[in-house]
Amino acid sequence: MNLAFADWAVMALYLLVVLAIALYCSRRNTSTEEYFVGGRRFRGWVIGLSLVGTSISSVTFLAYPADAFKTGWLRYLPNLALPFAIAMAAWFFLPFFRRGNLTSAYEYLEQRFGPSLRVYGATVFIIAQLVRVSMILWLLSLLIQQLVSIPPATAIVLSGLFVGLYTVVGGIDAVIWTDVLQTVVLILGGVLCLWVVVDALPGGLSQLFSEASRAGKFALAEWGEDGPRTTRWTLSLSEKTATMMLFIGLTNWLTEYASNQNTVQRYCAARSLVEARRALWVYLFTALPLWAFYMLLGTGLWVFFQHFPDPLSQEVLAGTARAETIVPWFITEYLPVGIAGLVVAAALAAAMSSLDSSINAVATVSVVDLYRRHWRPNREDRHYLAVARGAAALTMVLMIVGALWLNGATTRTLQDTSTILVSLLGGGMLGLYLLGFFTRTGNTFSAWCGLICTLLFTGWTLLSEQAWWPAALRAPFDLYYTGLIGNVLMFLVGYAVAHLSGRLLASRYG
């Protein structure tokens, strides 16, 4: 697949603008307060668009259209729980993080449950983010390889160095403003793709909707050999019903807005509580339509290739080619010169907006929660600023190394690594925060009891996936619900232990 000179020029211009933003923002980075939270002066609309950019990765740009192209809109269903999660975050979670000029999500854990829980939360976040950024960079390299004939290792190193460079130099100011730019480019790129699809169809947009509707392509259900299966709205732990998918979505979104440093750091960067709440609503009313739009793009590509079939589209539908290749193929083969370059820039933006946020967040947590709190307290601020830049640079290096390792690993190894490290170590974090937000009970001991029970539970479910594990000891539910059950377990155990220990102390000393 080859791009024209005009496409390369568009991409080069976009990358130069990103670097210019980083260099401009670097002039302000004279303190950790600026480097981590931008002086706490951002308006809500800026933070909101930045949140959109952070949450949108290669998954949105490639996987959403791929799913809608090959099946229906089931992937979109968990997103419908987002409004409730945003309302919870705006009115219940935000005040806890806006008190006392917090910088990290895990400072709250120390205030509520003690320093050991803060160290645990920070460590888990760093590990999970290193896995995440390595995977995103690896996926980005796959996209680059489909567009440009360069070796995989070269694609990983060059893209990783570029993102790391502007993040290390620019701090959170560069991250937020480049995320805003990347969100705009991502929206524009998707609009141009859909415009080309609709323009090629004789009946335009109405033809897209009518043909896709007849084929069941908008169904919020699993896809069978003959089309969408019946959508079930029952409560069940043994199958993926629509109701349970909404619960899964709610769990994921509450975790994102209650305990994810990428999000909490933006709460803290807003100039006021009102602006932070405004940011959440901007995010909601931008992200939900954007995700639906990219699902619609995938549906539109299905209609397009029904009328203009080619070998790759048939292979994707037959299952002999990866569905994620359909968007890059359409970009390089069907988009006009110049537009293709802008859409490729949008694809790069989708990945970079996630990578830069995570790099800066890892640096922030490493310095605020670990280095400054436990290893080197009471040093000058310029010392911590230098360490923060070093931590961001180290994160960039580890991200590149991780992506290179993933490039040489099998798909199964990739799945196992992400599942074990993220699901096992990160299990129960939402339940821990909810215990702190919504109850007055709980202390270090009860919180650790809940976490240990959750870790044991998650470990058991992971073992249940192994072929050698005894059938009698396997989990009697769909393992898709491990996170949901684990968070409930964390909350209930923590709450019960706190009450039980409180009664024992009362009876002993009362």
Side-chain angles (χ1 to χ4, degrees):
M1 301 181 185
N2 296 314
L3 295 174
F5 175 79
D7 297 317
W8 285 105
V10 170
M11 286 191 293
L13 176 62
Y14 166 74
L15 296 177
L16 286 174
V17 171
V18 170
L19 280 180
I21 291 174
L23 292 174
Y24 177 81
C25 293
S26 67
R27 301 183 304 172
R28 290 179 171 175
N29 290 324
T30 57
S31 67
T32 53
E33 181 77 359
E34 186 68 39
Y35 197 76
F36 294 148
V37 289
R40 306 178 193 272
R41 63 174 176 274
F42 285 99
R43 291 192 176 276
W45 71 267
V46 177
I47 296 293
L49 290 181
S50 175
L51 283 170
V52 174
T54 298
S55 66
I56 293 173
S57 66
S58 302
V59 171
T60 302
F61 196 85
L62 298 180
Y64 273 32
D67 255 29
F69 177 80
K70 192 171 182 180
T71 61
W73 280 42
L74 181 63
R75 182 187 284 270
Y76 188 72
L77 185 58
N79 295 330
L80 296 179
L82 180 60
F84 182 78
I86 290 293
M88 291 279 289
W91 298 106
F92 295 104
F93 302 163
L94 265 179
F96 289 97
F97 294 116
R98 292 290 306 182
R99 294 170 187 166
N101 284 337
L102 298 186
T103 301
S104 161
Y106 311 106
E107 291 177 271
Y108 169 76
L109 289 182
E110 178 170 3
Q111 294 175 358
R112 183 65 175 79
F113 297 111
S116 63
L117 271 299
R118 178 179 181 179
V119 171
Y120 176 81
T123 304
V124 167
F125 174 79
I126 291 172
I127 293 173
Q129 290 303 301
L130 289 176
V131 173
R132 178 175 181 263
V133 294
S134 297
M135 291 182 65
I136 292 175
L137 181 59
W138 175 66
L139 291 171
L140 174 61
S141 73
L142 295 181
L143 174 61
I144 293 174
Q145 292 168 56
Q146 290 179 316
L147 301 171
V148 186
S149 298
I150 61 174
T154 303
I156 289 172
V157 172
L158 291 179
S159 53
L161 285 175
F162 178 82
V163 176
L165 174 64
Y166 79 74
T167 306
V168 172
V169 170
I172 193 65
D173 293 274
V175 169
I176 288 177
W177 283 112
T178 55
D179 281 356
V180 171
L181 170 65
Q182 288 157 357
T183 300
V184 173
V185 172
L186 186 65
I187 294 171
L188 183 57
V191 168
L192 291 174
C193 280
L194 188 61
W195 173 75
V196 171
V197 169
V198 172
D199 185 64
L201 297 175
L205 194 61
S206 61
Q207 180 182 354
L208 189 161
F209 277 99
S210 61
E211 292 189 11
S213 297
R214 285 197 299 269
K217 297 295 289 183
F218 294 110
L220 298 173
E222 290 189 280
W223 201 264
E225 294 182 1
D226 300 324
R229 296 172 181 168
T230 303
T231 303
R232 294 171 55 82
W233 294 92
T234 57
L235 292 173
S236 173
L237 291 177
S238 60
E239 58 180 327
K240 297 181 181 68
T241 66
T243 303
M244 296 307 296
M245 290 291 286
L246 288 174
F247 277 116
I248 290 294
L250 180 60
T251 302
N252 292 340
W253 290 121
L254 287 177
T255 301
E256 178 77 14
Y257 291 98
S259 64
N260 191 317
Q261 173 64 17
N262 287 315
T263 303
V264 173
Q265 197 166 337
R266 281 160 177 74
Y267 295 164
C268 301
R271 63 172 53 184
S272 66
L273 177 62
V274 172
E275 291 293 335
R277 282 184 174 139
R278 183 173 292 128
L280 289 176
W281 297 117
V282 169
Y283 171 76
L284 172 65
F285 292 115
T286 304
L288 265 185
L290 185 57
W291 292 325
F293 176 82
Y294 270 92
M295 296 296 291
L296 180 62
L297 174 59
T299 304
L301 289 176
W302 179 85
V303 176
F304 176 87
F305 284 114
Q306 295 300 303
H307 292 271
F308 309 101
D310 68 16
L312 182 67
S313 65
Q314 299 303 312
E315 290 172 8
V316 170
L317 292 174
T320 57
R322 291 191 308 114
E324 288 77 12
T325 61
I326 196 65
V327 171
W329 173 258
F330 179 78
I331 291 171
T332 56
E333 298 299 321
Y334 294 93
L335 290 186
V337 172
I339 292 180
L342 183 61
V343 176
V344 172
L348 298 178
M352 290 194 298
S353 59
S354 296
L355 294 175
D356 59 15
S357 297
S358 292
I359 292 172
N360 184 264
V362 168
T364 302
V365 169
S366 299
V367 173
V368 173
D369 295 297
L370 301 178
Y371 187 83
R372 185 167 64 189
R373 175 65 179 84
H374 295 285
W375 297 340
R376 294 290 188 274
N378 303 318
R379 301 291 294 270
E380 292 183 353
D381 187 70
R382 63 181 180 180
H383 171 78
Y384 296 123
L385 179 59
V387 173
R389 290 192 171 113
L394 178 60
T395 302
M396 173 192 68
V397 172
L398 294 176
M399 171 183 72
I400 293 173
V401 171
L404 290 172
W405 179 80
L406 289 173
N407 186 64
T410 63
T411 302
R412 184 61 186 170
T413 302
L414 171 63
Q415 293 172 344
D416 287 346
T417 301
S418 61
T419 300
I420 291 173
L421 289 177
V422 178
S423 298
L424 180 59
L425 294 177
M429 291 303 294
L430 172 61
L432 178 62
Y433 276 88
L434 294 182
L435 181 66
F437 292 155
F438 293 111
T439 74
R440 295 180 179 273
T441 61
N443 50 30
T444 302
F445 177 72
S446 62
W448 273 113
C449 286
L451 278 177
I452 290 172
C453 288
T454 304
L455 289 173
L456 292 173
F457 166 78
T458 306
W460 167 58
T461 61
L462 292 173
L463 289 173
S464 295
E465 292 185 306
Q466 307 303 315
W468 51 266
W469 190 251
L473 297 179
R474 294 185 186 275
F477 51 83
D478 192 319
L479 297 184
Y480 195 73
Y481 302 120
T482 298
L484 172 62
I485 300 173
N487 281 299
V488 172
L489 180 65
M490 166 66 230
F491 183 91
L492 293 179
V493 171
Y495 188 80
V497 170
H499 270 275
L500 180 60
S501 59
R503 289 182 180 180
L504 289 175
L505 289 173
S507 62
R508 186 173 181 177
Y509 301 103

